Amino acid sequence: MTATIGATAGPPPQKFRLRAPKFALAIPSIIWYVFLFVVPVVLVLVNSFGTKVAGTPGKVDLSSPTLERYREVIDGSFRTVLKQTMETSILGTVLCLVISLPVAYFLAFKVGPKAKVAVLALLMVPFFTNYLLRTLAWKIVLQPKGFVSNFLQDSHWFTLGQTLRDGPIQVLDSRTAVQLAIVYNYLPLMIFPLWVALDRVELHLREASKDLGAGRIRTFLQVTMPLAMPGIVAGLVLVFVPLSGDYVTAKLLGGVKGNMIGAAVAEQYFNAQNAASGSAIAVSLIISILLVLAVVAGVAWFAKRLLAINRNVKVPAR
Amino acid sequence: MTRRDNTTRILISEEAAQRLARVVSRRTFLAMTGGVAAAAALAACGSDEESSGSSEGGSDTSAGGSDTSDGGSDTSSGESTDTSSAGGDFDKTINMFTWAEYDDLDLLKSWGDIKLTIFNSNEEAIQKLVQGGGSSGFDMVVPTGAYIPQLVAAGLLKELDKTKIPNFANLEVAYTNQSWDPDNKYSVCKNWGSTGWIYDTSVVTTEIKTWADFIAAAQGEASGMTSILDTPPSLCGMYFWANGIDWTTEEVADLDACEDFLVNDFASHIKAFDSYPGINLTSGSYALSMVWNGDARQGLIGIEESGGDVAQYKWGLGAPETELWMDNWCILEEAKNVDAAYDFINFILDPANSVTDLQFHGYNTGINGVEELAGDVSFKDMIFFTPDEVARLRSGAVNTAQDRLVEIYSNVKAKAGG
Amino acid sequence: MTATNAIPSKPSALRKVGGKLAGLVLPGWSALVIMFLFTPIFFLVAMSFNDFKTIFVWTKFSTHWWGDMWDNTTMIDALITSIEVAVISTIIALILGTLAGLALARKPGRWTTGFVALVLLILVTPEIVDGAGQLSWFVKLEGPFREGLTPIVLVHTVFSSAVVTLIVRARVAGLDARLEEAAADLFATPIRGFFQITLPLVMPAVLSGGMLAFTLSLDNVVATSFVSPAGTTTFPNYVFGLSGGVIRPEVAAMSTVFIVGTLIAIVAVAMVLRRGGQSGTEIATTFTGN
């Protein structure tokens, strides 16, 4: 008796084997990224050693490479802007973390599945609202003669004829405005990775912790957080780095006092027609970011070792 | 046992089986991917066309734009925009690179479809045009006179055929044939104006009569609430005018002194660099602003319209010296709609239209008899200056000091932020 | 055997109060944060109904700007450009990203770490550095890189395709590789196997990735401001360019249209994914790029 499978007659066709390298499918991407990312970034680095070509914007004279541009950054006025930018971005990242953590915790652990979807949907609205428009919206909110300002000055709303403010709020065109709007803009970018990281902490681990007598705070600090740490760190980096290079918020809301290094780079490119200087500032920004990250990583590693040394694990006698 | 049917049986998990079951049939899938591929190819072709046809990208979007605006101009006023090329007539559509709030939009609409892109300073405009490399997509640009030689040297401006602009004769002779464009080869006067200040008298209690007063107020009562025009020459000009130095100086000593003062004694008092503090006067962000006369006037009109108290704000023309600048209509060498551009320039040089525009932007357009035609326009003294005031005005120049001025401006900006 | 560990005692009264507070604080805080996030958007939308010529000063209620905004051809052009660029760059990003994501998940090797590092680098680099470099590069190259939509599209695809790559990789890694092997065992050519088996299975990731790529393109301001040729602009960049002058309520009105449009697109994709069997949280996770 013969078992017939299929209707084909004759020998089966060859199995197809492609002799292509493993990353074959990624080749288009690689070429694309090299062309549109690696080369431009390298070009920025290269240009930073050049000199401005007088009268011709965008072009850089590389005939005699020089560190002049960097000296200008270190000695000149850009140093203050750089320092200010790093201050704003570190503070901004920390604020984002502090504000987001309770929300992420709430979302991950305290909300039922149906409500979770609803809250997530709500949170996604600002996340997907255009960044520029959100920043513009802040300009409306912070207007000295705007609704919020008038409200705070209106004695009808507050008791005893006292108002919260004597004069219009003058928050616009200042570092405060930029700090505020930056935290606002990057908040969704922090909430989601935190939520995902916390969400991935398995329930039974936390339950086990509770079963062993740890209170909710102790569970959080000693079980949940350490387990979620990789995701939290990812979120922090994901917020800190782009935030440091922010251009739009500073330009719209910062005025002169709230300037950030991103805006300074753009200005060098567009107003001063000095691409060399702009490149040097951009590279300085990257270096600063890396420095901060290195310092934080170093501190964290050191702290971890300290805590590990202090923790005496005693095996209970049986 | 022999199976007669041709089915193949697979042993897999239930979950995978369900997934497989949802696989679209081969035909529909091929159709879908084919459709997507076709769309992608079309889109790629579209963007190739747009990029290969030099500024096709710009005019493609403008062609689309004129289609939608046809509805707009049909409903708003008379002239229809003829977008059919078969008419032998030109499309009344222009891409214009200009200053903000510089033309009456209804007036422009009555002529045709003009798309405006704004810049805040000549430096910014030149940067964008030169970087565009002759394919920026604009037809016309409105630069300040002193910068025209730079644009001409870069080969960006088209030489004007004045036979196509009969209304050129309407301009007062004094506003033609300027030193930076003899014989008006490349430009036609749009309007001229000057620089002064406007301040909130409830904050700045002492009257400001000169640039020295302005500086003192900026360092005193209005510290941290002052705005300066976002252009390098104006910033440095303020120092020179206050100190009796010719603001077109190329002397290194003068420039050094200027930088020293601005960076060390002045920068920290600046709140913002804003070329249009007038039109945002209603916002109340600044107590003291360096401002152009027409912009200040628009600010005061805005205060009136929003129900504020105009008397609270005071305008003053710079003294003892201040700027005289003239902005001009120029046609770019790369312009696609040259005929339309000529037609528009001719249109705007018509006295009636010129006056309408003037009433909006508040600058002297230099047309013969425009002052009488303007009649009872609001804040007339801010548009038409007295001979004494005119004597205070000094033309600018773009010379070897320009780079240094830009450097000083950048440094002040950086210092002001600190 | 005696138990040396004490049985945890009942929670003290303090603990109970703490528990109650926690029960109130967390939802309360979250509600505050959500309100904070929505407030500026609300103001922007509200200002589109302002009568006065600037969105920064309210005079009285009016809807006339909603009609007038269609007259602003520059703004409409910018909107159309935004959409065109978003569509084209999304298609490119999907092709690049899906292929790369597949390669990462199915054919890992020594090349994987390097490539993933490159992708992460793209995601993390501040846009200002990207944009500045791309401008200098395009200025050097001249030609089509300085005209029309090309430079803008190219710039948008970089970040978008990086995002799509990671999303597709995550999804493909979760799929059973044996399905594709089974297809090969049944004599399907790789191409046929791809189109009939792999692609339909990755479709949710492709859809989410495409959605994300689309919104990222619409959202892009910094890099666009650097490379876009002077006469071409996208909607956010148009608004950005206005920031020196007067911003009329018609801009706020169009912004509202823009925001609502984006949200509708997202909801549409989410619904398609939902029908495809993904849970709400799964969708949210992919949408936010995690």
Side-chain angles (χ1 to χ4, degrees):
Chain A
M1 267 190 284
T2 41
T4 340
I5 303 174
T8 51
Q14 288 280 13
K15 271 202 197 163
F16 219 85
R17 283 270 177 266
L18 265 180
R19 299 234 179 281
K22 280 193 173 171
F23 52 87
L25 286 181
I27 288 180
S29 283
I30 298 177
I31 299 177
W32 200 261
Y33 294 153
V34 166
F35 184 68
L36 288 172
F37 176 73
V38 179
V39 169
V41 173
V42 167
L43 198 53
V44 169
L45 187 60
V46 167
N47 275 346
S48 66
F49 298 111
T51 328
K52 167 179 172 173
V53 177
T56 320
K59 295 229 163 76
V60 172
D61 175 17
L62 286 166
S63 54
S64 46
T66 165
L67 285 176
E68 245 328 274
R69 306 279 87 72
Y70 287 102
R71 196 193 58 78
E72 284 166 11
V73 173
I74 298 174
D75 287 343
S77 353
F78 295 119
R79 190 181 66 208
T80 355
V81 183
L82 199 52
K83 183 170 81 76
Q84 207 173 301
T85 306
M86 285 295 119
E87 286 170 8
T88 309
S89 61
I90 294 176
L91 180 60
T93 312
V94 168
L95 280 175
C96 274
L97 179 66
V98 165
I99 297 177
S100 305
L101 207 48
V103 182
Y105 185 88
F106 175 65
L107 203 51
F109 302 136
K110 299 284 176 201
V111 180
K114 283 229 168 93
K116 197 182 276 198
V117 176
V119 175
L120 281 172
L122 271 181
L123 283 172
M124 287 210 273
V125 172
F127 182 74
F128 281 111
T129 304
N130 189 291
Y131 183 89
L132 179 90
L133 297 179
R134 279 184 285 154
T135 316
L136 182 68
W138 265 109
K139 200 159 180 184
I140 300 177
V141 172
L142 294 175
Q143 280 292 311
K145 298 232 177 104
F147 180 77
V148 172
S149 181
N150 288 340
F151 176 76
L152 290 174
Q153 292 175 69
D154 196 338
S155 52
H156 290 121
W157 288 96
F158 304 106
T159 54
L160 303 174
Q162 291 285 62
T163 59
L164 275 184
R165 285 198 57 87
D166 283 324
I169 55 173
Q170 289 293 352
V171 179
L172 271 185
D173 294 325
S174 71
R175 280 182 74 174
T176 321
V178 174
Q179 186 76 66
L180 191 57
I182 274 211
V183 168
Y184 170 85
N185 273 328
Y186 286 92
L187 214 50
L189 216 59
M190 178 73 91
I191 292 183
F192 287 115
L194 284 189
W195 164 64
V196 170
L198 287 174
D199 199 49
R200 294 208 170 126
V201 173
E202 300 185 47
L203 186 61
H204 62 79
L205 289 172
R206 296 175 46 243
E207 281 178 341
S209 166
K210 294 247 177 73
D211 288 343
L212 289 167
R216 65 183 80 237
I217 298 191
R218 199 159 161 202
T219 311
F220 180 67
L221 287 176
Q222 288 193 330
V223 177
T224 322
M225 279 287 271
L227 284 170
M229 202 45 88
I232 296 179
V233 168
L236 286 175
V237 173
L238 212 61
V239 165
F240 174 65
V241 179
L243 199 155
S244 309
D246 190 83
Y247 164 37
V248 169
T249 317
K251 186 103 192 279
L252 278 186
L253 301 170
V256 155
K257 302 257 180 277
N259 203 10
M260 282 181 73
I261 208 78
V265 172
E267 204 160 271
Q268 285 301 308
Y269 267 87
F270 294 131
N271 286 358
Q273 305 172 9
N274 192 342
S277 200
S279 307
I281 303 177
V283 173
S284 312
L285 168 67
I286 300 287
I287 296 177
S288 309
I289 293 178
L290 290 174
L291 269 175
V292 172
L293 287 176
V295 167
V296 172
V299 168
W301 175 84
F302 194 65
K304 219 169 160 183
R305 297 215 56 191
L306 262 177
L307 290 171
I309 294 170
N310 280 343
R311 194 175 295 153
N312 296 320
V313 183
K314 287 208 190 87
V315 178
R318 284 198 179 263
Chain B
M1 208 135 83
T2 324
R3 303 195 70 88
R4 293 245 176 243
D5 56 300
N6 295 336
T7 53
T8 311
R9 306 172 109 204
I10 310 172
L11 183 64
I12 54 173
S13 66
E14 188 174 332
E15 189 214 336
Q18 281 176 348
R19 282 214 197 114
L20 267 181
R22 279 191 235 119
V23 168
V24 188
S25 82
R26 182 178 64 168
R27 252 190 226 143
T28 20
F29 192 91
L30 277 178
M32 225 167 67
T33 40
V36 168
L42 274 176
C45 281
S47 69
D48 279 337
E49 260 177 48
E50 298 202 52
S51 53
S52 61
S54 59
S55 48
E56 211 56 80
S59 32
D60 267 351
T61 46
S62 72
S66 14
D67 282 339
T68 47
S69 78
D70 252 327
S73 48
D74 276 343
T75 48
S76 63
S77 48
E79 288 204 41
S80 55
T81 49
D82 182 12
T83 50
S84 63
S85 46
D89 208 1
F90 47 83
D91 282 353
K92 279 194 160 185
T93 174
I94 295 180
N95 261 323
M96 176 147 9
F97 199 27
T98 181
W99 305 82
E101 303 301 298
Y102 221 21
D103 290 292
D104 186 325
L105 292 178
D106 289 328
L107 180 70
L108 295 186
K109 194 131 276 153
S110 74
W111 175 84
D113 177 24
I114 303 189
K115 291 183 220 313
L116 304 170
T117 306
I118 314 179
F119 54 80
N120 297 321
S121 67
N122 289 291
E123 287 79 7
E124 188 188 327
I126 294 177
Q127 162 81 347
K128 295 234 169 85
L129 289 176
V130 173
Q131 275 210 337
S135 56
S136 61
F138 293 120
D139 298 308
M140 291 180 65
V141 62
V142 182
T144 305
Y147 292 85
I148 291 185
Q150 198 178 349
L151 288 168
V152 171
L156 290 170
L157 298 183
K158 198 180 214 49
E159 250 188 76
L160 295 178
D161 177 6
K162 298 245 239 320
T163 61
K164 297 197 177 159
I165 318 177
N167 280 337
F168 183 79
N170 293 341
L171 279 172
E172 262 183 61
V173 172
Y175 304 120
T176 64
N177 196 19
Q178 299 291 312
S179 59
W180 29 259
D181 185 19
D183 284 334
N184 287 95
K185 285 225 273 288
Y186 298 98
S187 63
V188 173
C189 171
K190 175 188 189 292
N191 50 246
W192 59 269
S194 184
T195 306
W197 48 75
I198 190 163
Y199 57 98
D200 184 342
T201 50
S202 63
V203 175
V204 179
T205 50
T206 44
E207 197 185 344
I208 298 183
K209 295 209 211 56
T210 65
W211 285 113
D213 293 338
F214 177 89
I215 292 176
Q219 292 170 321
E221 290 174 303
S223 174
M225 295 282 288
T226 302
S227 81
I228 301 289
L229 287 173
D230 198 11
T231 78
S234 309
L235 168 69
C236 302
M238 174 192 73
Y239 170 79
F240 292 131
W241 296 321
N243 289 288
I245 306 174
D246 176 8
W247 75 305
T248 58
T249 180
E250 295 172 283
E251 298 287 322
V252 175
D254 291 333
L255 294 166
D256 283 342
C258 174
E259 178 159 11
D260 181 47
F261 171 76
L262 288 176
V263 170
N264 296 321
D265 299 327
F266 194 75
S268 54
H269 303 287
I270 304 176
K271 183 176 188 187
F273 279 86
D274 193 340
S275 286
Y276 306 105
I279 47 192
N280 281 314
L281 198 62
T282 40
S283 303
S285 282
Y286 315 122
L288 174 68
S289 300
M290 186 194 279
V291 67
W292 295 313
N293 57 310
D295 186 40
R297 176 178 167 274
Q298 285 187 31
L300 292 174
I301 295 178
I303 298 273
E304 260 182 355
E305 283 176 3
S306 68
D309 179 17
V310 171
Q312 194 183 339
Y313 301 92
K314 200 150 176 354
W315 144 262
L317 182 65
E321 280 188 350
T322 183
E323 196 175 355
L324 168 67
W325 50 259
M326 185 186 295
D327 284 343
N328 307 270
W329 304 109
C330 295
I331 304 183
L332 288 168
E333 186 62 48
E334 52 156 308
K336 298 239 165 275
N337 299 302
V338 182
D339 291 326
Y342 277 121
D343 190 69
F344 173 72
I345 297 179
N346 208 39
F347 168 85
I348 203 78
L349 286 175
D350 178 281
N353 296 325
S354 188
V355 163
T356 311
D357 214 19
L358 180 152
Q359 286 168 336
F360 174 79
H361 57 57
Y363 295 102
N364 192 330
T365 55
I367 297 276
N368 275 320
V370 73
E371 190 168 347
E372 290 78 57
L373 274 174
D376 228 353
V377 67
S378 51
F379 302 102
K380 197 162 178 182
D381 57 320
M382 290 175 75
I383 310 175
F384 301 105
F385 300 135
T386 65
D388 283 341
E389 289 173 329
V390 171
R392 309 212 288 254
L393 310 180
R394 302 277 172 276
S395 281
V398 175
N399 50 28
T400 59
Q402 177 70 4
D403 275 351
R404 184 73 198 281
L405 294 180
V406 172
E407 210 186 291
I408 297 177
Y409 158 89
S410 304
N411 288 339
V412 170
K413 260 195 172 170
K415 186 72 193 291
Chain C
M1 200 161 59
T2 42
T4 46
N5 296 325
I7 298 169
S9 54
K10 273 181 142 185
S12 64
L14 189 62
R15 272 258 177 92
K16 273 203 184 135
V17 171
K20 280 268 153 49
L21 263 177
L24 282 176
V25 163
L26 283 178
W29 180 258
S30 307
L32 273 177
V33 170
I34 294 180
M35 283 202 303
F36 176 62
L37 287 173
F38 271 86
T39 306
I41 304 176
F42 166 73
F43 270 84
L44 180 63
V45 173
M47 273 316 193
S48 68
F49 294 107
N50 183 20
D51 187 48
F52 196 48
K53 66 176 176 187
T54 160
I55 56 171
F56 296 129
V57 175
W58 175 273
T59 47
K60 56 188 194 313
F61 184 91
S62 159
T63 51
H64 77 89
W65 290 107
W66 281 87
D68 289 349
M69 73 171 164
W70 303 108
D71 288 342
N72 188 341
T73 49
T74 326
M75 187 166 73
I76 307 274
D77 280 352
L79 187 66
I80 294 176
T81 309
S82 264
I83 298 177
E84 286 176 338
V85 168
V87 167
I88 301 174
S89 67
T90 302
I91 294 176
I92 299 178
L94 278 179
I95 297 175
L96 290 174
T98 310
L99 292 177
L102 277 171
L104 276 177
R106 284 283 170 262
K107 305 236 170 77
R110 281 179 313 176
W111 69 282
T112 310
T113 343
F115 185 69
V116 171
L118 180 61
V119 170
L120 288 177
L121 200 59
I122 293 176
L123 289 178
V124 152
T125 311
E127 231 187 308
I128 195 92
V129 175
D130 284 344
Q134 280 152 354
L135 174 65
S136 297
W137 181 221
F138 287 166
V139 165
K140 248 192 172 35
L141 292 175
E142 295 187 33
F145 296 100
R146 299 293 301 148
E147 295 163 12
L149 299 183
T150 313
I152 310 180
V153 168
L154 290 178
V155 156
H156 287 194
T157 53
V158 176
F159 194 88
S160 298
S161 60
V163 169
V164 172
T165 305
L166 291 183
I167 292 181
V168 168
R169 172 178 85 147
R171 173 79 184 173
V172 170
L175 289 179
D176 197 341
R178 292 172 293 176
L179 285 169
E180 290 155 38
E181 280 182 28
D185 287 342
L186 292 166
F187 309 113
T189 62
I191 305 220
R192 193 169 159 182
F194 175 76
F195 280 111
Q196 272 198 321
I197 304 294
T198 322
L199 199 54
L201 289 172
V202 249
M203 200 46 84
V206 171
L207 275 179
S208 330
M211 178 77 261
L212 211 49
F214 190 76
T215 31
L216 283 170
S217 171
L218 287 179
D219 207 19
N220 190 300
V221 172
V222 178
T224 316
S225 71
F226 271 88
V227 305
S228 46
T232 320
T233 185
T234 57
F235 180 66
N237 280 74
Y238 167 76
V239 178
F240 192 39
L242 285 180
S243 59
V246 165
I247 303 184
R248 294 184 164 75
E250 63 189 2
V251 176
M254 186 57 82
S255 303
T256 313
V257 169
F258 195 78
I259 294 172
V260 170
T262 320
L263 288 174
I264 292 180
I266 294 168
V267 167
V269 173
M271 289 205 320
V272 170
L273 290 178
R274 203 60 194 281
R275 282 190 53 215
Q278 293 221 309
S279 77
T281 34
E282 268 183 6
I283 299 176
T285 319
T286 10
F287 269 6
T288 52
N290 293 299

